[in-house]
Amino acid sequence: MKKLLTSAAALAAMTTGAFAADEVTLQLKWVTQAQFGGYYVALEKGYYEEADLDVTIKPGGPDVAPVQVLLGGGADVMVDWMPSALAARENGAPVVNIAQPFKKSGMMLTCLKESGITGPDDFPNKTLGVWFYGNEYPFLSWMGKLGIPTDGSEGGVTVLKQGFNVDPLLQKQAACISTMTYNEYWQVIDAGISPEDLVTFKYEDQGVATLEDGLYVLEESLEDEAFKDKMARFVKASMEGWKYAAEHPEEAAEIVLEYDETGAQTMTHQVRMMTEVAKLIEGTDGALDAADYERTVASLLAGGSDPVITKEPVGAYTLDITDAALK
């Protein structure tokens, strides 16, 4: 099993006496899985080493807040969803997007057909499972767009604060739950519920999709030219990893499993996840597209509930890619 604390570049330096490569610590948004396959592939295939980087990948989890790790100096760069990054910036954390590998959203609501839900008009008076910790903003925006209250009142929906599992649907505590196309949806299927017994609503199809896994650093760090150069190399090597992972999903899944220290992941699930994630990164070179940024902001502000951001982007940083500051 691979150790995450020492990359191939560091091992090479130790054995050859070469000068140490530039160190980079990446904090993931969630646990080791194919959702982050491109970074593990870049590490394993030597793309970071070729870029003179010694990269450490730190898994996330339910008790890990990437923004706090970044603010505390525990990472140089983090993976986060744009709604939560915008909310963090609004609350005083000066985070800036330097790359956007995920072009599309994989978020959706997965509902039991037996609940009687066939379309959004059937949501009122139902219980819906929603992820929080910054993941709730797209949902709240969607409900605001539909004009559906989220306070549990008559004609509104009751919001169940969902853990990062599918139990509320399996135990029929909620008519619908939050799922990702590449993860929790398949957990529902693996639990024995057939696709024919489910109704799904992709945020992309509902016109309220927001940008997900992007790379963020602290704005002040970009005042250092050496740091900007290091991040440019990191982004470029990471995108090479993503390209390879998308083209070789089974090999990418095998690499992810080698770095999974929990032993909780399976080959079948990781191959399936990598195949679905490949659809989300299709057509991107890692640059943050201004139109995608504006769409995310518009989706969040169109809800009719309290806006989660009030600030507009006012500048751009240039690495090997174009990067818009969230300010």
Side-chain angles (χ1 to χ4, degrees):
M1 186 176 294
K2 300 287 185 180
K3 294 295 184 181
L4 302 187
L5 299 180
T6 308
S7 74
L11 288 174
M14 291 169 59
T15 57
T16 65
F19 289 107
D22 292 326
E23 296 182 353
V24 174
T25 299
L26 169 66
Q27 175 62 61
L28 302 181
K29 183 175 177 63
W30 194 239
V31 299
T32 300
Q33 58 184 19
Q35 176 185 356
F36 313 107
Y39 307 112
Y40 288 109
V41 167
L43 181 61
E44 182 67 15
K45 303 296 286 187
Y47 299 153
Y48 291 138
E49 182 179 5
E50 293 171 5
D52 196 29
L53 297 173
D54 174 11
V55 175
T56 296
I57 302 176
K58 298 174 71 172
D63 300 322
V64 177
V67 171
Q68 295 305 316
V69 175
L70 195 66
L71 289 172
D76 301 292
V77 56
M78 69 172 182
V79 177
D80 203 359
W81 287 9
M82 185 168 282
S84 59
L86 284 166
R89 186 172 178 93
E90 187 73 2
N91 289 323
V95 295
V96 174
N97 181 294
I98 62 166
Q100 189 59 48
F102 278 38
K103 179 77 172 177
K104 299 177 181 178
S105 168
M107 195 173 184
M108 61 183 182
L109 275 185
T110 295
C111 310
L112 288 171
K113 185 175 292 185
E114 67 182 52
S115 69
I117 292 178
T118 59
D121 290 343
D122 299 316
F123 288 156
N125 303 314
K126 298 293 195 302
T127 297
L128 308 181
V130 179
W131 291 320
F132 277 70
Y133 304 103
N135 302 312
E136 72 274 23
Y137 299 122
F139 170 81
L140 296 175
S141 174
W142 184 16
M143 293 301 106
K145 181 180 178 181
L146 293 172
I148 300 176
T150 57
D151 58 4
S153 59
E154 182 67 24
V157 298
T158 297
V159 174
L160 173 66
K161 189 173 182 180
Q162 181 184 335
F164 294 97
N165 56 58
V166 299
D167 292 347
L169 196 72
L170 301 182
Q171 299 171 6
K172 300 185 180 180
Q173 297 171 338
C176 309
I177 60 171
S178 299
T179 62
M180 302 302 292
T181 58
Y182 52 79
N183 195 2
E184 289 80 12
Y185 172 78
W186 297 102
Q187 292 179 21
V188 173
I189 299 301
D190 290 341
I193 300 178
S194 70
E196 292 74 22
D197 293 326
L198 298 171
V199 178
T200 60
F201 302 92
K202 293 183 179 180
Y203 280 60
E204 285 279 352
D205 296 340
Q206 303 302 317
V208 292
T210 55
L211 288 171
E212 293 165 0
D213 294 30
L215 292 173
Y216 295 83
V217 301
L218 295 179
E219 186 173 12
E220 61 188 29
S221 299
L222 292 171
E223 298 173 2
D224 182 348
E225 292 298 322
F227 182 84
K228 287 201 291 187
D229 174 71
K230 183 169 66 172
M231 287 297 101
R233 286 179 280 132
F234 174 76
V235 169
K236 185 176 181 179
S238 295
M239 292 313 299
E240 290 176 358
W242 275 117
K243 183 176 185 295
Y244 189 95
E247 293 174 349
H248 305 85
E250 291 191 2
E251 184 180 352
E254 290 176 351
I255 290 173
V256 168
L257 288 175
E258 290 178 354
Y259 284 89
D260 172 32
E261 296 189 326
T262 69
Q265 308 292 1
T266 67
M267 184 64 178
T268 298
H269 187 54
Q270 293 308 301
V271 171
R272 201 160 47 188
M273 185 182 294
M274 189 64 246
T275 301
E276 292 296 324
V277 166
K279 300 174 185 177
L280 306 182
I281 65 173
E282 185 176 1
T284 181
D285 60 359
L288 172 61
D289 183 89
D292 291 339
Y293 172 86
E294 292 168 1
R295 171 174 54 81
T296 293
V297 172
S299 294
L300 295 174
L301 295 180
S305 57
D306 292 339
V308 296
I309 67 167
T310 59
K311 300 175 181 176
E312 297 295 332
V314 295
Y317 293 101
T318 301
L319 302 175
D320 279 346
I321 62 170
T322 300
D323 143 58
L326 305 184
K327 183 174 182 180

